[in-house]
């Protein structure tokens, strides 16, 4: 099996970020505040690394279309939209929670943290599922970059 390198690396960073969030939960439950802070910042850095790889790949190389059977495509599309919504919400809440934690706004941080973490766990799980559907279970479809789509349509 020949897996594409950038999607494999970016998906790995999402999994790493979710594992680090789980470790952060464990650390705060043990009242290890400094350990919690360090691990959660690492989780944020792993998520940011994913986003940089994903965004760069999307602009310059492109996104891969679903290459599986046509009868599954509508379900995949709905699942992908669900994943994108989770990722957007989870990323935004995660960033918000990092900021509230760093500013010592602990009342808000303690309220939003568990919600953001659970959403991020589901984001990681659905992200791995999307990766598996695109590159492992089925051969990926066509890949078109945003730049090619823009330049190609304007000339």
């Amino acid at each position: 099996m020949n897996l594409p390198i950038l999607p494999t690396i970016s998906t790995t960073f999402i999994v790493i970020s979710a594992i680090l969030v789980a470790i952060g939960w464990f650390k705060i439950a043990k009242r290890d505040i400094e350990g919690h802070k360090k691990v959660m910042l690492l989780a944020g850095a792993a998520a940011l690394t994913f986003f940089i790889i994903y965004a760069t790949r999307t602009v310059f190389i492109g996104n891969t279309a679903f290459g599986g059977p046509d009868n599954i495509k509508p379900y995949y599309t709905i699942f992908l939209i669900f994943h994108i919504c989770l990722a957007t919400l989870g990323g935004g809440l995660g960033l918000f929670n990092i900021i509230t934690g760093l500013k010592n706004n602990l009342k808000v941080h303690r309220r939003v943290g568990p919600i953001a973490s659970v959403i991020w766990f589901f984001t990681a799980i659905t992200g791995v599922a999307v990766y598996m559907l695109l590159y492992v279970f089925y051969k990926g479809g066509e890949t078109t970059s945003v730049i090619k789509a823009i330049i190609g349509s304007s000339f």
Side-chain angles (χ1 to χ4, degrees):
M1 180 181 323
N2 191 8
L3 297 174
I5 191 73
L6 287 178
T8 302
I9 292 170
S10 64
T11 301
T12 300
F13 274 103
I14 283 300
V15 171
I16 289 168
S17 72
I19 291 168
L20 290 169
V21 168
I23 293 168
W25 263 21
F26 177 77
K27 290 209 171 274
I28 202 61
K30 298 287 184 187
R31 300 286 180 227
D32 179 1
I33 294 168
E34 275 307 305
H36 171 76
K37 180 179 177 180
K38 288 176 185 174
V39 169
M40 292 308 229
L41 288 172
L42 283 173
L48 179 61
T49 301
F50 156 80
F51 182 73
I52 291 168
I53 294 169
Y54 176 80
T56 302
R57 180 178 176 272
T58 297
V59 170
F60 294 107
I61 298 170
N63 283 325
T64 304
F66 180 66
D70 286 342
N71 64 330
I72 297 175
K73 195 175 220 169
Y75 302 106
Y76 168 79
T77 303
I78 291 167
F79 186 77
L80 179 63
I81 291 167
F82 176 70
H83 166 70
I84 291 168
C85 291
L86 278 177
T88 303
L89 181 61
L93 284 175
L95 179 60
F96 175 78
N97 218 43
I98 287 171
I99 292 167
T100 60
L102 291 174
K103 289 187 171 185
N104 256 356
N105 187 351
L106 299 182
K107 184 178 179 184
V108 173
H109 184 78
R110 288 180 182 130
R111 264 212 207 129
V112 175
I115 297 165
S117 298
V118 169
I119 291 171
W120 198 249
F121 293 139
F122 281 106
T123 298
I125 292 165
T126 58
V128 169
V130 167
Y131 172 83
M132 299 292 282
L133 288 167
L134 281 178
Y135 304 109
V136 177
F137 299 142
Y138 304 106
K139 185 178 183 216
E142 183 180 335
T143 300
T144 305
S145 74
V146 172
I147 292 197
K148 281 182 187 174
I150 293 169
I151 292 174
S153 66
S154 64
F155 289 103

